[in-house]
Amino acid sequence: MTGALGLFTGCGDDGGGTGGTGSPCTSSAECNAGLSCIDSTCQSGGDAGGDTGLPDTGTADTAPSCPSADRCGSDCCEATEECVANACMPICESSLRCGPASTCCAAGDLCISDACTTPGDTCADPIDCGADEYCDSSIGRCLPRLAGRCEYFPPGGAITPAQQWHWSGSTTEPSYVHVMMTPVVGDLDGDAIPEVLFNTYQAATSYGGRGVLRAVRGDDGTDVFSVSTPEICGDSGIALGDLDGDGSPEIVTTGPCSGTGRVHVFDSTGTHLWSATNPDGTPHYFNLDFGAPSIADLEGDGQAEVIVGGTVYESNGTLRFANRNTAFGCCSPTAPRSQVTVAYNVDDDPELEIVGSNVVWNSDGSVLWDNPGAPEGFIAVADFFADGQPDLVVVHEGSLSIFDASDGTPLWGPIVQPGGGRGGPPTIADFDGDDLPEIGVAGAASYSVYDPDGSTPILWSQTTQDMSSNITGSSVFDFDGDGSAEVVYNDECYMRVYAGADGTVLAEVPQHSHTLIEYPLIVDVDGDGNTEIVFAGNAVVARCAAIPGYTGNLAGIRVFEDAADNWVGTRRVWNQHAYSISHIREDLSVPMSVERNSDRWNSFRQNPQSFDAPDLVGAEATSDGTACPIELRLSARIQNDGAAAVGPGLSVSFYLGTPAAPGRLLGTVMTTGLLVPGAAETVTLAFEPTVAEQTGAPLDFFFVADDIGDGTGEHNECIEDNNSAVGTFTCPGIS
């Protein structure tokens, strides 16, 4: 780069040629003294090189003596330079400069918060990114989560569940309405609105009989499909995931509820694909009943396996191996009715293992460790002692114990379940905010939280009622984002939310269940960016009849949201009973390389919280008065500049006047599409203006996004005061 005028040595030659003003030139040497070659003609100004008789002040009041393409403020840029904000800088090959210093970024970098940033790995889901990153859906790459990201943090306070919808029956197999299994949630058709899947039974057969597989929409509970052939077990669990890596998810369940049970797989529309077979093609049977299948890619080869107890099937339904299928839950080795095993990496090799309560198999069926004398029971895996190693918690016939998951060494317990009972599937989370996990377990007469690192083994225990199976499960979630997870548990009579730190009952909803191993889900069931609770109900056996005024004897699926819309966001997926975050993506693809859930989230049967929020911006207000006075059309363009999507049904209200001087409400309309970050939608209100508004003169109007018509909205945003835009309309009266 050359210096300032008066000190230039490289932009012009000494004058002294014969070219007068306006003469063509290639250098100043061709011009008369006092002239410079500028824009290929001899012109006055610049550094003519001659002695002007004036002192050299180091400044000039004329343009630099170089072609206009090379001029940059008071400089002349060289061939290897470009003009950036009136300064010559080395050419940036990437064409991307960033920050106050206009730093040249490397090819492929992004400018984020005034810094050149290299995007991280490709991603389809937050689990593909590090803990300090998020998955940017617009480019499919992991980016750093910075302080300026659009986020909303709830104020805390009361937990106030309000029913969003209730599925209570269908025109297909209408008597099959009772649900006593854990539903699953996932987006089957790729429209960003999840579906809820569950198995139903009828009162005449009670549980343990023929069932119907149902799929309903997550936003309103309307039917998607129902399946009854081949025969489904009404109590059996379901697993969702893309088994064969073709981009479309499969549905896995079992039936019938007997020794002739088989695993059945359906596509995303409910069409039957296969039923389990032996390697020779003959049917493979065994007793399944109210257990639950799991899906995992054991070897990381892009083909996921189906796991039930100690049995593993290939993605096409062929049996890989069938090892010891004992209880792995309840109720005895001679009646293995409730198998729920877990796929987990317990030994640091590249593959996942199949973890039972007293045995762990490698992906090929060989034994990693086996202790058949240890108790059978329900399990979960986490790192309880902050040593970086996964531990196995086993709930077994009224007690709880922890073992080293890599070799079966006893580490803690057994601890007797308060209130007695068998004890159900354990849930793992940081209940008390101490950054270490605790264990939640339901029994016959209590829900209790065990604290392996505490001064006493029981953090707290609350009285409940489950005198039938006493093997129900639970889920946990930090609804208000205060660092302490709340418990959601449904016993025979009530769905309750407990404070994680001390067990205080925060909310109670009447809901009957005869109970097996089912539990509520915490999931964004409708894709609106907010968390909901999904839970099952049945009304066959009256367990709560003695409660005066009891109203919870309901069947089906119920979804509850927060009445104050203050629950933080979470994922739109909960794909199986043995759910952990790292084992499934939101699009139901199964990761080939699974990060240990204990290394990052250290939870089990818990969804992550997300503070990402939308930012609904009023982008443009327009009008069309060509049909006036019969009809006036006002349009609003709303753009989501935030970090979380907003589902269909966003309210947009139009008002006469301006936000500073509002007039009457003209009407409210709803968006119809999903507003992902960066997306926009235009909605239109058609109305008949009043005589007073048919003046023929321009009148102001404005709209407000996320306004139900009374100035209040339904979505928490990172910025709440940019939802409106002002326009004008003209409507002539009838002449």
Side-chain angles (χ1 to χ4, degrees):
M1 185 177 70
T2 54
L5 282 174
L7 299 176
F8 280 169
T9 59
C11 277
D13 300 317
D14 290 342
T18 59
T21 300
S23 299
C25 61
T26 58
S27 70
S28 295
E30 301 173 6
C31 301
N32 290 335
L35 301 180
S36 298
C37 188
I38 301 174
D39 291 344
S40 299
T41 60
C42 295
Q43 301 178 32
S44 61
D47 181 9
D51 184 2
T52 63
L54 298 174
D56 185 358
T57 63
T59 62
D61 58 1
T62 56
S65 55
C66 54
S68 60
D70 297 334
R71 289 203 300 264
C72 184
S74 59
D75 289 350
C76 289
C77 295
E78 298 177 350
T80 58
E81 296 177 321
E82 61 185 347
C83 186
V84 180
N86 289 327
C88 292
M89 304 183 72
I91 290 175
C92 182
E93 296 296 336
S94 69
S95 300
L96 176 65
R97 293 186 178 275
C98 187
S102 296
T103 302
C104 180
C105 298
D109 279 5
L110 301 174
C111 183
I112 301 175
S113 293
D114 287 339
C116 295
T117 303
T118 301
D121 295 337
T122 58
C123 62
D125 187 91
I127 69 170
D128 299 324
C129 303
D132 57 350
E133 297 176 315
Y134 72 98
C135 182
D136 189 289
S137 59
S138 63
I139 62 172
R141 299 286 292 275
C142 298
L143 296 178
R145 184 178 293 277
L146 303 174
R149 184 165 170 80
C150 182
E151 295 183 317
Y152 170 81
F153 295 89
I159 301 291
T160 53
Q163 184 167 293
Q164 181 172 329
W165 56 262
H166 176 202
W167 181 92
S168 58
S170 172
T171 56
T172 303
E173 302 271 17
S175 63
Y176 286 76
V177 297
H178 303 281
V179 185
M180 196 161 46
M181 48 77 66
T182 303
V184 294
V185 173
D187 183 4
L188 295 180
D189 54 11
D191 66 351
I193 306 297
E195 280 71 41
V196 182
L197 290 93
F198 50 97
N199 288 330
T200 59
Y201 63 94
Q202 65 174 346
T205 58
S206 188
Y207 57 89
R210 173 181 175 268
V212 177
L213 166 65
R214 311 276 194 182
V216 302
R217 286 181 59 91
D219 55 353
D220 58 14
T222 56
D223 287 349
V224 176
F225 60 77
S226 297
V227 175
S228 56
T229 304
E231 184 174 330
I232 303 300
C233 176
D235 314 332
S236 174
I238 300 173
L240 296 179
D242 183 359
L243 293 177
D244 52 11
D246 67 351
S248 181
E250 281 76 43
I251 305 161
V252 183
T253 191
T254 67
C257 312
S258 68
T260 59
R262 298 173 75 185
V263 169
H264 305 295
V265 169
F266 306 85
D267 70 12
S268 60
T269 68
T271 301
H272 179 244
L273 295 177
W274 55 257
S275 297
T277 61
N278 294 302
D280 63 3
T282 59
H284 182 259
Y285 303 106
F286 71 98
N287 194 340
L288 299 166
D289 209 347
F290 55 86
S294 297
I295 292 173
D297 186 350
L298 298 177
E299 300 92 357
D301 62 358
Q303 297 291 300
E305 287 73 39
V306 175
I307 306 156
V308 185
T311 299
V312 173
Y313 301 94
E314 308 291 352
S315 60
N316 64 1
T318 302
L319 176 69
R320 176 181 294 187
F321 61 81
N323 283 325
R324 187 171 77 241
N325 280 298
T326 50
F328 298 127
C330 167
C331 295
S332 74
T334 58
R337 304 172 60 196
S338 58
Q339 301 96 320
V340 184
T341 49
V342 173
Y344 215 92
N345 188 345
V346 301
D347 63 355
D348 295 320
D349 69 1
E351 299 184 355
L352 300 178
E353 288 75 43
I354 298 95
V355 182
S357 52
N358 56 9
V359 60
V360 173
W361 295 284
N362 296 306
S363 61
D364 62 0
S366 60
V367 173
L368 178 65
W369 62 263
D370 189 2
N371 185 5
E376 293 280 4
F378 294 108
I379 64 171
V381 182
D383 177 8
F384 292 104
F385 305 107
D387 58 3
Q389 297 301 310
D391 305 307
L392 170 64
V393 56
V394 181
V395 178
H396 50 94
E397 293 300 318
S399 297
L400 180 145
S401 300
I402 298 176
F403 302 87
D404 187 321
S406 65
D407 60 15
T409 301
L411 300 176
W412 192 76
I415 308 298
V416 174
Q417 169 85 24
R422 300 183 180 101
T427 292
I428 299 171
D430 181 5
F431 287 80
D432 57 4
D434 65 353
D435 294 326
L436 290 170
E438 289 79 37
I439 308 156
V441 179
S446 77
Y447 186 92
S448 303
V449 174
Y450 298 77
D451 190 0
D453 64 286
S455 57
T456 59
I458 304 294
L459 180 65
W460 56 263
S461 184
Q462 280 279 24
T463 300
T464 58
Q465 176 185 317
D466 184 9
M467 302 309 294
S468 49
S469 73
N470 41 84
I471 54 173
T472 42
S474 62
S475 56
V476 291
F477 188 73
D478 185 1
F479 288 97
D480 53 8
D482 65 354
S484 176
E486 287 77 42
V487 182
V488 184
Y489 170 62
N490 203 139
D491 65 6
E492 290 178 339
C493 299
Y494 293 96
M495 187 277 288
R496 296 186 179 94
V497 180
Y498 300 95
D502 58 14
T504 299
V505 177
L506 303 176
E508 183 177 84
V509 175
Q511 176 54 59
H512 179 274
S513 178
H514 195 195
T515 75
L516 283 175
I517 64 170
E518 79 277 8
Y519 62 88
L521 311 183
I522 314 298
V523 63
D524 180 2
V525 74
D526 54 6
D528 68 349
N530 299 318
T531 294
E532 288 85 33
I533 302 174
V534 182
F535 55 97
N538 52 84
V540 176
V541 181
R543 291 283 176 174
C544 315
I547 300 174
Y550 183 74
T551 60
N553 207 35
L554 304 171
I557 296 291
R558 301 176 73 188
V559 171
F560 277 66
E561 60 187 349
D562 180 39
D565 195 30
N566 275 329
W567 293 344
V568 301
T570 192
R571 303 178 84 198
R572 294 173 297 158
V573 63
W574 193 298
N575 75 312
Q576 58 193 25
H577 193 286
Y579 175 77
S580 62
I581 298 162
S582 59
H583 282 64
I584 194 71
R585 295 188 181 93
E586 278 196 299
D587 63 3
L588 293 174
S589 61
V590 182
M592 290 189 291
S593 177
V594 178
E595 178 185 13
R596 268 186 185 160
N597 206 70
S598 56
D599 289 344
R600 180 167 171 185
W601 291 281
N602 212 15
S603 62
F604 208 90
R605 299 185 176 98
Q606 180 186 25
N607 243 339
Q609 61 191 32
S610 170
F611 298 104
D612 291 344
D615 179 17
L616 301 168
V617 177
E620 184 181 24
T622 57
S623 64
D624 178 3
T626 56
C628 264
I630 298 173
E631 181 183 79
L632 181 64
R633 298 175 68 85
L634 306 180
S635 295
R637 182 172 173 82
I638 301 97
Q639 181 165 317
N640 184 359
D641 287 348
V646 171
L650 172 72
S651 299
V652 182
S653 292
F654 293 78
Y655 297 87
L656 194 66
T658 66
R664 74 178 183 97
L665 172 69
L666 301 175
T668 301
V669 294
M670 305 287 187
T671 59
T672 59
L674 179 71
L675 282 172
V676 299
E681 181 177 337
T682 298
V683 297
T684 299
L685 170 71
F687 73 102
E688 183 178 353
T690 65
V691 173
E693 292 157 2
Q694 301 171 26
T695 65
L699 295 177
D700 290 327
F701 77 94
F702 68 98
F703 70 83
V704 182
D706 192 26
D707 178 354
I708 63 174
D710 61 2
T712 62
E714 299 175 323
H715 297 276
N716 295 312
E717 305 176 54
C718 59
I719 302 173
E720 293 281 6
D721 58 1
N722 59 354
N723 293 29
S724 65
V726 178
T728 60
F729 67 82
T730 301
C731 183
I734 300 176
S735 57

